[in-house]
Amino acid sequence: MTAVTELTARALLLDMDGTLVNSDAVVERCWRDWAARHGLDGDEVMEVVHGRQGYASMALLLPDRPMAENHAENREMLARETADMDGVVPVPGAPAFLASLAGLPHALVTSADVPLSTNRMAAAGLPMPPVRITAESVAASKPDPEGFLKGAAELGFDPADCVVFEDSGAGIEAGLAAGMRVVGVGSRAVAYGPTVCVGDLTEVRVVAGAGGGVRLVFG
């Protein structure tokens, strides 16, 4: 899905939903129910919600509603999603991809909170990266670059030395705004201009480079 065959980096910053974990079944159930309760078109809602924190999606979809109501309803949404792991599976290639990163600098940067990210990674049978930036870690949701910038800082690398893995428009926008190169994962990513695009993580090979760097080979 891409003409670029290789990238080099010092650290990798990994989104979770749609990138490492396929949670689409849960997201569809929860957000289509929410859309029906508010008299919104489910398809239009699904075009907005991927990659963002729930309160930020609600603010876009119900622009006249007080933000306090969005935060309150987002807490309810997170609780429901955290309790529902039916259909949560790894993205193809994710187990081998994460195994290949053992000992290399990488972080999870997700719009999920700690309980939701913990449950989804466990349900998919994936190891939690040593550094995790979650909803609790940031003041602004993707597409704001704050999460990726915090991930780079916590790992100790400049943004230009990091490569982001993302599936959503909001996430790809955030990674690019952070000054990072972005690997788009899956069909959703193609329209948003990532540096590289792959169908899934089976199309990525990780090679440890000299001096602790990482070489990513695509195809």
Side-chain angles (χ1 to χ4, degrees), residues 95 101 176 191 204:
L101 296 182
L176 295 174
V204 184

Side-chain angles (χ1 to χ4, degrees), residues 16-18 21-35 42 45-52 54 57 77-78 80-82 84-88 112 116 120 167 188:
M16 183 180 70
D17 293 302
V21 175
N22 182 346
S23 56
D24 282 358
V26 180
V27 174
E28 289 269 344
R29 279 194 295 275
C30 293
W31 280 99
R32 286 187 182 277
D33 284 353
W34 181 88
V45 167
M46 296 312 302
E47 288 293 319
V48 171
V49 300
H50 292 292
R52 292 179 172 84
S57 296
M77 179 71 76
L78 284 169
R80 179 178 175 184
E81 289 187 274
T82 301
D84 184 356
M85 293 295 125
D86 187 20
V88 173
L116 181 57
R120 281 191 177 159
D167 72 300
R188 255 196 312 261

